[in-house]
Amino acid sequence: MFITYKNGKEYKLDYDDDAHSYKVDGVKVPSVTRIVDACFPKNLTEWAVSVGEEEYRRITDEALDIGNQTHKWIEKYIKLWWFRGYQTPKTGDKFFNSVSSFLEWEEKFKPEWLYEERKVYCDKYKYAGTVDAVAKINGRVCVIDFKTSKKIYKPYHLQVTAYAQAIKRIDRLRQWPLGIILRLDKETGEFQQKVFEPKDHFKTFIKCMELRQWSSLRIKEANIV
């Protein structure tokens, strides 16, 4: 696929779904999630030990499955915005609660959907990623990230920040998009929303990029004179 900037620049973006990796014009570039994970690694060791390996794998696999199904359902739903008869999950489906919370949020805030699963590439800082959704709410462009996690974790803000900056450059927006982290509770069927200004956090994301680059460098051994 091609990423086309409003100023006419065009970049060929290739995405490897299995490896979750991106290449731009044949050159590999880091993904937003890999950059953020380099600064905030997921440390589940203590919890995994407490529940045991078998239970740990069962819980994480089930959570991942629910998250994936929820994202796929929402993606199709947004694509078929003109067809509101799109089939909702059945009560017994594992992702019923998370989808129900999404529909409740949509009814309350009435977003004007612009994109779903939008691939982006920032040519200035050389990173790529996939945005869950972009919409206009009350006239403001919003970058939306859907989560089915237990809570809204702080690193999520940096992911959305990076996406917002890329979209601002690609679409030549005068104003930064708003960031929205929308947590869809898979147990209660309720939503939790965090709205914030991504522009206030982009310098921190850049520091994450620098840390990731540093971590891949070989440190030269110095001579003692």
Side-chain angles (χ1 to χ4, degrees):
M1 65 173 297
F2 287 90
I3 304 293
T4 304
Y5 278 61
K6 292 292 184 182
N7 63 7
K9 290 183 179 179
E10 192 171 68
Y11 302 92
K12 187 176 185 296
L13 178 68
D14 294 307
Y15 175 64
D16 185 330
D17 191 31
D18 293 331
H20 191 69
S21 63
Y22 298 84
K23 284 185 178 180
V24 176
D25 294 336
V27 179
K28 191 172 182 178
V29 297
S31 71
V32 170
T33 52
R34 293 277 173 84
I35 292 168
V36 174
D37 286 349
C39 292
F40 301 93
K42 298 179 178 67
N43 189 356
L44 302 174
T45 306
E46 290 186 5
W47 173 68
V49 170
S50 68
V51 300
E53 181 180 357
E54 185 175 341
E55 182 67 3
Y56 163 76
R57 292 186 181 279
R58 185 191 69 78
I59 293 173
T60 52
D61 287 349
E62 183 175 321
L64 182 62
D65 182 53
I66 292 173
N68 288 338
Q69 289 190 63
T70 300
H71 276 77
K72 288 178 181 178
W73 190 94
I74 293 175
E75 179 187 358
K76 289 182 180 179
Y77 179 84
I78 294 174
K79 282 181 179 178
L80 299 174
W81 62 268
W82 47 270
F83 179 51
R84 281 301 179 246
Y86 183 70
Q87 186 176 2
T88 57
K90 299 176 182 178
T91 307
D93 290 340
K94 291 181 179 180
F95 61 109
F96 176 83
N97 286 338
S98 52
V99 165
S100 296
S101 60
F102 164 77
L103 294 173
E104 181 183 346
W105 173 86
E106 188 196 40
E107 178 63 25
K108 182 175 181 179
F109 292 96
K110 296 179 171 48
E112 176 191 342
W113 297 112
L114 303 177
Y115 302 97
E116 78 291 325
E117 293 294 311
R118 181 181 180 181
K119 297 287 189 296
V120 296
Y121 168 64
C122 179
D123 58 354
K124 183 175 181 179
Y125 295 100
K126 312 300 182 188
Y127 65 81
T130 304
V131 186
D132 285 347
V134 183
K136 273 190 177 182
I137 301 177
N138 293 329
R140 184 82 180 266
V141 175
C142 300
V143 174
I144 306 172
D145 199 24
F146 303 118
K147 299 294 185 184
T148 56
S149 50
K150 288 287 186 181
K151 66 178 184 177
I152 293 177
Y153 296 97
K154 208 164 187 179
Y156 294 166
H157 297 78
L158 296 181
Q159 288 180 279
V160 175
T161 291
Y163 299 145
Q165 201 271 353
I167 287 174
K168 181 179 183 295
R169 284 186 59 81
I170 294 170
D171 295 344
R172 301 191 74 178
L173 302 177
R174 292 185 177 182
Q175 185 180 28
W176 272 77
L178 270 179
I180 297 179
I181 302 169
L182 183 59
R183 191 179 74 85
L184 308 171
D185 198 298
K186 53 183 175 286
E187 295 178 0
T188 66
E190 298 177 352
F191 70 82
Q192 178 188 3
Q193 175 181 252
K194 179 66 177 293
V195 183
F196 69 103
E197 291 284 357
K199 65 180 180 180
D200 297 336
H201 307 278
F202 189 66
K203 288 183 179 179
T204 304
F205 176 75
I206 292 301
K207 292 182 186 300
C208 279
M209 288 196 71
E210 293 171 352
L211 179 59
R212 183 183 182 276
Q213 291 167 354
W214 175 84
S215 67
S216 65
L217 295 176
R218 180 183 178 187
I219 299 176
K220 296 180 180 179
E221 186 172 346
N223 294 322
I224 301 176
V225 179

PDB file of all heavy atoms in Angstrom, residues 105-124:
ATOM      1  N   TRP A 105     -20.798   3.635  24.054  1.00  0.00           N
ATOM      2  CA  TRP A 105     -19.968   4.837  23.870  1.00  0.00           C
ATOM      3  C   TRP A 105     -20.336   5.561  22.578  1.00  0.00           C
ATOM      4  O   TRP A 105     -20.470   6.789  22.555  1.00  0.00           O
ATOM      5  CB  TRP A 105     -18.489   4.434  23.847  1.00  0.00           C
ATOM      6  CG  TRP A 105     -17.576   5.576  23.508  1.00  0.00           C
ATOM      7  CD1 TRP A 105     -17.046   6.506  24.373  1.00  0.00           C
ATOM      8  CD2 TRP A 105     -17.074   5.920  22.204  1.00  0.00           C
ATOM      9  NE1 TRP A 105     -16.276   7.401  23.691  1.00  0.00           N
ATOM     10  CE2 TRP A 105     -16.264   7.064  22.359  1.00  0.00           C
ATOM     11  CE3 TRP A 105     -17.241   5.369  20.932  1.00  0.00           C
ATOM     12  CZ2 TRP A 105     -15.623   7.668  21.288  1.00  0.00           C
ATOM     13  CZ3 TRP A 105     -16.599   5.973  19.862  1.00  0.00           C
ATOM     14  CH2 TRP A 105     -15.803   7.106  20.037  1.00  0.00           C
ATOM     15  N   GLU A 106     -20.498   4.800  21.496  1.00  0.00           N
ATOM     16  CA  GLU A 106     -20.824   5.419  20.204  1.00  0.00           C
ATOM     17  C   GLU A 106     -22.153   6.153  20.270  1.00  0.00           C
ATOM     18  O   GLU A 106     -22.293   7.264  19.742  1.00  0.00           O
ATOM     19  CB  GLU A 106     -20.870   4.358  19.101  1.00  0.00           C
ATOM     20  CG  GLU A 106     -21.021   4.983  17.719  1.00  0.00           C
ATOM     21  CD  GLU A 106     -21.441   3.991  16.658  1.00  0.00           C
ATOM     22  OE1 GLU A 106     -22.299   3.134  16.957  1.00  0.00           O
ATOM     23  OE2 GLU A 106     -20.953   4.080  15.538  1.00  0.00           O
ATOM     24  N   GLU A 107     -23.124   5.567  20.922  1.00  0.00           N
ATOM     25  CA  GLU A 107     -24.436   6.198  21.047  1.00  0.00           C
ATOM     26  C   GLU A 107     -24.344   7.504  21.824  1.00  0.00           C
ATOM     27  O   GLU A 107     -25.043   8.482  21.514  1.00  0.00           O
ATOM     28  CB  GLU A 107     -25.403   5.234  21.754  1.00  0.00           C
ATOM     29  CG  GLU A 107     -26.797   5.799  21.990  1.00  0.00           C
ATOM     30  CD  GLU A 107     -27.547   6.132  20.709  1.00  0.00           C
ATOM     31  OE1 GLU A 107     -27.243   5.518  19.661  1.00  0.00           O
ATOM     32  OE2 GLU A 107     -28.433   7.016  20.758  1.00  0.00           O
ATOM     33  N   LYS A 108     -23.468   7.546  22.807  1.00  0.00           N
ATOM     34  CA  LYS A 108     -23.337   8.735  23.649  1.00  0.00           C
ATOM     35  C   LYS A 108     -22.580   9.862  22.952  1.00  0.00           C
ATOM     36  O   LYS A 108     -22.977  11.029  23.033  1.00  0.00           O
ATOM     37  CB  LYS A 108     -22.627   8.373  24.955  1.00  0.00           C
ATOM     38  CG  LYS A 108     -22.489   9.541  25.925  1.00  0.00           C
ATOM     39  CD  LYS A 108     -21.896   9.097  27.252  1.00  0.00           C
ATOM     40  CE  LYS A 108     -21.800  10.283  28.216  1.00  0.00           C
ATOM     41  NZ  LYS A 108     -21.253   9.865  29.538  1.00  0.00           N
ATOM     42  N   PHE A 109     -21.501   9.533  22.226  1.00  0.00           N
ATOM     43  CA  PHE A 109     -20.637  10.576  21.662  1.00  0.00           C
ATOM     44  C   PHE A 109     -20.833  10.789  20.159  1.00  0.00           C
ATOM     45  O   PHE A 109     -20.331  11.765  19.611  1.00  0.00           O
ATOM     46  CB  PHE A 109     -19.173  10.260  21.972  1.00  0.00           C
ATOM     47  CG  PHE A 109     -18.852  10.375  23.430  1.00  0.00           C
ATOM     48  CD1 PHE A 109     -18.867   9.251  24.245  1.00  0.00           C
ATOM     49  CD2 PHE A 109     -18.567  11.602  24.007  1.00  0.00           C
ATOM     50  CE1 PHE A 109     -18.586   9.343  25.605  1.00  0.00           C
ATOM     51  CE2 PHE A 109     -18.285  11.720  25.363  1.00  0.00           C
ATOM     52  CZ  PHE A 109     -18.299  10.583  26.165  1.00  0.00           C
ATOM     53  N   LYS A 110     -21.500   9.866  19.492  1.00  0.00           N
ATOM     54  CA  LYS A 110     -21.864  10.012  18.076  1.00  0.00           C
ATOM     55  C   LYS A 110     -20.686  10.459  17.193  1.00  0.00           C
ATOM     56  O   LYS A 110     -20.713  11.525  16.581  1.00  0.00           O
ATOM     57  CB  LYS A 110     -23.040  10.988  17.941  1.00  0.00           C
ATOM     58  CG  LYS A 110     -24.305  10.475  18.616  1.00  0.00           C
ATOM     59  CD  LYS A 110     -25.447  11.448  18.505  1.00  0.00           C
ATOM     60  CE  LYS A 110     -26.760  10.843  18.982  1.00  0.00           C
ATOM     61  NZ  LYS A 110     -26.679  10.148  20.280  1.00  0.00           N
ATOM     62  N   PRO A 111     -19.648   9.654  17.106  1.00  0.00           N
ATOM     63  CA  PRO A 111     -18.502  10.003  16.262  1.00  0.00           C
ATOM     64  C   PRO A 111     -18.841   9.935  14.773  1.00  0.00           C
ATOM     65  O   PRO A 111     -19.674   9.129  14.356  1.00  0.00           O
ATOM     66  CB  PRO A 111     -17.468   8.939  16.635  1.00  0.00           C
ATOM     67  CG  PRO A 111     -18.292   7.766  17.047  1.00  0.00           C
ATOM     68  CD  PRO A 111     -19.491   8.339  17.747  1.00  0.00           C
ATOM     69  N   GLU A 112     -18.205  10.795  14.014  1.00  0.00           N
ATOM     70  CA  GLU A 112     -18.267  10.720  12.552  1.00  0.00           C
ATOM     71  C   GLU A 112     -17.025   9.952  12.107  1.00  0.00           C
ATOM     72  O   GLU A 112     -15.921  10.494  12.085  1.00  0.00           O
ATOM     73  CB  GLU A 112     -18.272  12.115  11.938  1.00  0.00           C
ATOM     74  CG  GLU A 112     -18.237  12.134  10.419  1.00  0.00           C
ATOM     75  CD  GLU A 112     -17.970  13.516   9.850  1.00  0.00           C
ATOM     76  OE1 GLU A 112     -18.140  14.520  10.589  1.00  0.00           O
ATOM     77  OE2 GLU A 112     -17.567  13.583   8.672  1.00  0.00           O
ATOM     78  N   TRP A 113     -17.205   8.676  11.761  1.00  0.00           N
ATOM     79  CA  TRP A 113     -16.066   7.824  11.465  1.00  0.00           C
ATOM     80  C   TRP A 113     -15.367   8.234  10.178  1.00  0.00           C
ATOM     81  O   TRP A 113     -16.017   8.434   9.142  1.00  0.00           O
ATOM     82  CB  TRP A 113     -16.497   6.364  11.378  1.00  0.00           C
ATOM     83  CG  TRP A 113     -17.044   5.834  12.668  1.00  0.00           C
ATOM     84  CD1 TRP A 113     -18.327   5.469  12.937  1.00  0.00           C
ATOM     85  CD2 TRP A 113     -16.315   5.616  13.884  1.00  0.00           C
ATOM     86  NE1 TRP A 113     -18.459   5.038  14.228  1.00  0.00           N
ATOM     87  CE2 TRP A 113     -17.235   5.121  14.840  1.00  0.00           C
ATOM     88  CE3 TRP A 113     -14.985   5.798  14.264  1.00  0.00           C
ATOM     89  CZ2 TRP A 113     -16.852   4.796  16.137  1.00  0.00           C
ATOM     90  CZ3 TRP A 113     -14.615   5.477  15.555  1.00  0.00           C
ATOM     91  CH2 TRP A 113     -15.535   4.982  16.472  1.00  0.00           C
ATOM     92  N   LEU A 114     -14.038   8.355  10.226  1.00  0.00           N
ATOM     93  CA  LEU A 114     -13.244   8.726   9.057  1.00  0.00           C
ATOM     94  C   LEU A 114     -12.400   7.553   8.544  1.00  0.00           C
ATOM     95  O   LEU A 114     -12.314   7.327   7.349  1.00  0.00           O
ATOM     96  CB  LEU A 114     -12.311   9.899   9.404  1.00  0.00           C
ATOM     97  CG  LEU A 114     -12.995  11.176   9.935  1.00  0.00           C
ATOM     98  CD1 LEU A 114     -11.944  12.210  10.313  1.00  0.00           C
ATOM     99  CD2 LEU A 114     -13.950  11.743   8.883  1.00  0.00           C
ATOM    100  N   TYR A 115     -11.773   6.814   9.458  1.00  0.00           N
ATOM    101  CA  TYR A 115     -10.910   5.684   9.081  1.00  0.00           C
ATOM    102  C   TYR A 115     -11.006   4.600  10.141  1.00  0.00           C
ATOM    103  O   TYR A 115     -11.288   4.873  11.306  1.00  0.00           O
ATOM    104  CB  TYR A 115      -9.435   6.102   8.978  1.00  0.00           C
ATOM    105  CG  TYR A 115      -9.139   7.200   8.007  1.00  0.00           C
ATOM    106  CD1 TYR A 115      -9.026   8.511   8.448  1.00  0.00           C
ATOM    107  CD2 TYR A 115      -8.951   6.937   6.656  1.00  0.00           C
ATOM    108  CE1 TYR A 115      -8.736   9.543   7.561  1.00  0.00           C
ATOM    109  CE2 TYR A 115      -8.670   7.957   5.758  1.00  0.00           C
ATOM    110  CZ  TYR A 115      -8.566   9.262   6.217  1.00  0.00           C
ATOM    111  OH  TYR A 115      -8.282  10.275   5.349  1.00  0.00           O
ATOM    112  N   GLU A 116     -10.733   3.373   9.724  1.00  0.00           N
ATOM    113  CA  GLU A 116     -10.557   2.272  10.662  1.00  0.00           C
ATOM    114  C   GLU A 116      -9.296   1.507  10.262  1.00  0.00           C
ATOM    115  O   GLU A 116      -8.996   1.375   9.076  1.00  0.00           O
ATOM    116  CB  GLU A 116     -11.790   1.341  10.679  1.00  0.00           C
ATOM    117  CG  GLU A 116     -11.910   0.374   9.535  1.00  0.00           C
ATOM    118  CD  GLU A 116     -12.220   1.059   8.218  1.00  0.00           C
ATOM    119  OE1 GLU A 116     -12.951   2.047   8.218  1.00  0.00           O
ATOM    120  OE2 GLU A 116     -11.711   0.572   7.181  1.00  0.00           O
ATOM    121  N   GLU A 117      -8.527   1.071  11.254  1.00  0.00           N
ATOM    122  CA  GLU A 117      -7.278   0.338  11.006  1.00  0.00           C
ATOM    123  C   GLU A 117      -6.431   1.060   9.955  1.00  0.00           C
ATOM    124  O   GLU A 117      -6.005   0.477   8.949  1.00  0.00           O
ATOM    125  CB  GLU A 117      -7.577  -1.102  10.568  1.00  0.00           C
ATOM    126  CG  GLU A 117      -8.198  -1.958  11.646  1.00  0.00           C
ATOM    127  CD  GLU A 117      -7.266  -2.223  12.819  1.00  0.00           C
ATOM    128  OE1 GLU A 117      -6.111  -2.615  12.577  1.00  0.00           O
ATOM    129  OE2 GLU A 117      -7.709  -2.026  13.979  1.00  0.00           O
ATOM    130  N   ARG A 118      -6.161   2.328  10.205  1.00  0.00           N
ATOM    131  CA  ARG A 118      -5.412   3.139   9.242  1.00  0.00           C
ATOM    132  C   ARG A 118      -3.902   2.983   9.459  1.00  0.00           C
ATOM    133  O   ARG A 118      -3.386   3.243  10.531  1.00  0.00           O
ATOM    134  CB  ARG A 118      -5.789   4.618   9.381  1.00  0.00           C
ATOM    135  CG  ARG A 118      -5.064   5.517   8.384  1.00  0.00           C
ATOM    136  CD  ARG A 118      -5.442   6.978   8.571  1.00  0.00           C
ATOM    137  NE  ARG A 118      -4.739   7.816   7.595  1.00  0.00           N
ATOM    138  CZ  ARG A 118      -4.846   9.141   7.528  1.00  0.00           C
ATOM    139  NH1 ARG A 118      -5.645   9.782   8.381  1.00  0.00           N
ATOM    140  NH2 ARG A 118      -4.172   9.831   6.629  1.00  0.00           N
ATOM    141  N   LYS A 119      -3.203   2.567   8.408  1.00  0.00           N
ATOM    142  CA  LYS A 119      -1.755   2.478   8.444  1.00  0.00           C
ATOM    143  C   LYS A 119      -1.162   3.885   8.269  1.00  0.00           C
ATOM    144  O   LYS A 119      -1.604   4.651   7.406  1.00  0.00           O
ATOM    145  CB  LYS A 119      -1.235   1.575   7.331  1.00  0.00           C
ATOM    146  CG  LYS A 119      -1.687   0.120   7.427  1.00  0.00           C
ATOM    147  CD  LYS A 119      -0.976  -0.592   8.553  1.00  0.00           C
ATOM    148  CE  LYS A 119      -1.234  -2.099   8.546  1.00  0.00           C
ATOM    149  NZ  LYS A 119      -2.646  -2.463   8.769  1.00  0.00           N
ATOM    150  N   VAL A 120      -0.163   4.213   9.104  1.00  0.00           N
ATOM    151  CA  VAL A 120       0.464   5.533   9.027  1.00  0.00           C
ATOM    152  C   VAL A 120       1.981   5.384   9.030  1.00  0.00           C
ATOM    153  O   VAL A 120       2.532   4.410   9.549  1.00  0.00           O
ATOM    154  CB  VAL A 120       0.038   6.451  10.197  1.00  0.00           C
ATOM    155  CG1 VAL A 120      -1.451   6.737  10.147  1.00  0.00           C
ATOM    156  CG2 VAL A 120       0.419   5.850  11.543  1.00  0.00           C
ATOM    157  N   TYR A 121       2.644   6.382   8.435  1.00  0.00           N
ATOM    158  CA  TYR A 121       4.106   6.450   8.448  1.00  0.00           C
ATOM    159  C   TYR A 121       4.507   7.900   8.648  1.00  0.00           C
ATOM    160  O   TYR A 121       4.030   8.790   7.922  1.00  0.00           O
ATOM    161  CB  TYR A 121       4.695   5.921   7.139  1.00  0.00           C
ATOM    162  CG  TYR A 121       6.164   6.232   6.971  1.00  0.00           C
ATOM    163  CD1 TYR A 121       7.101   5.699   7.844  1.00  0.00           C
ATOM    164  CD2 TYR A 121       6.616   7.075   5.955  1.00  0.00           C
ATOM    165  CE1 TYR A 121       8.457   5.993   7.703  1.00  0.00           C
ATOM    166  CE2 TYR A 121       7.957   7.368   5.805  1.00  0.00           C
ATOM    167  CZ  TYR A 121       8.877   6.830   6.683  1.00  0.00           C
ATOM    168  OH  TYR A 121      10.210   7.127   6.552  1.00  0.00           O
ATOM    169  N   CYS A 122       5.340   8.153   9.640  1.00  0.00           N
ATOM    170  CA  CYS A 122       5.835   9.499   9.899  1.00  0.00           C
ATOM    171  C   CYS A 122       7.189   9.660   9.215  1.00  0.00           C
ATOM    172  O   CYS A 122       8.175   9.047   9.646  1.00  0.00           O
ATOM    173  CB  CYS A 122       5.960   9.749  11.399  1.00  0.00           C
ATOM    174  SG  CYS A 122       6.607  11.396  11.783  1.00  0.00           S
ATOM    175  N   ASP A 123       7.235  10.453   8.150  1.00  0.00           N
ATOM    176  CA  ASP A 123       8.465  10.580   7.368  1.00  0.00           C
ATOM    177  C   ASP A 123       9.541  11.389   8.089  1.00  0.00           C
ATOM    178  O   ASP A 123      10.731  11.230   7.819  1.00  0.00           O
ATOM    179  CB  ASP A 123       8.184  11.179   5.989  1.00  0.00           C
ATOM    180  CG  ASP A 123       7.509  12.539   6.055  1.00  0.00           C
ATOM    181  OD1 ASP A 123       7.152  12.996   7.164  1.00  0.00           O
ATOM    182  OD2 ASP A 123       7.333  13.168   4.990  1.00  0.00           O
ATOM    183  N   LYS A 124       9.155  12.234   9.008  1.00  0.00           N
ATOM    184  CA  LYS A 124      10.137  13.056   9.721  1.00  0.00           C
ATOM    185  C   LYS A 124      10.902  12.242  10.757  1.00  0.00           C
ATOM    186  O   LYS A 124      12.123  12.365  10.896  1.00  0.00           O
ATOM    187  CB  LYS A 124       9.452  14.237  10.399  1.00  0.00           C
ATOM    188  CG  LYS A 124      10.423  15.182  11.105  1.00  0.00           C
ATOM    189  CD  LYS A 124       9.714  16.404  11.668  1.00  0.00           C
ATOM    190  CE  LYS A 124      10.715  17.348  12.335  1.00  0.00           C
ATOM    191  NZ  LYS A 124      10.058  18.573  12.871  1.00  0.00           N
TER     192      LYS A 124
END
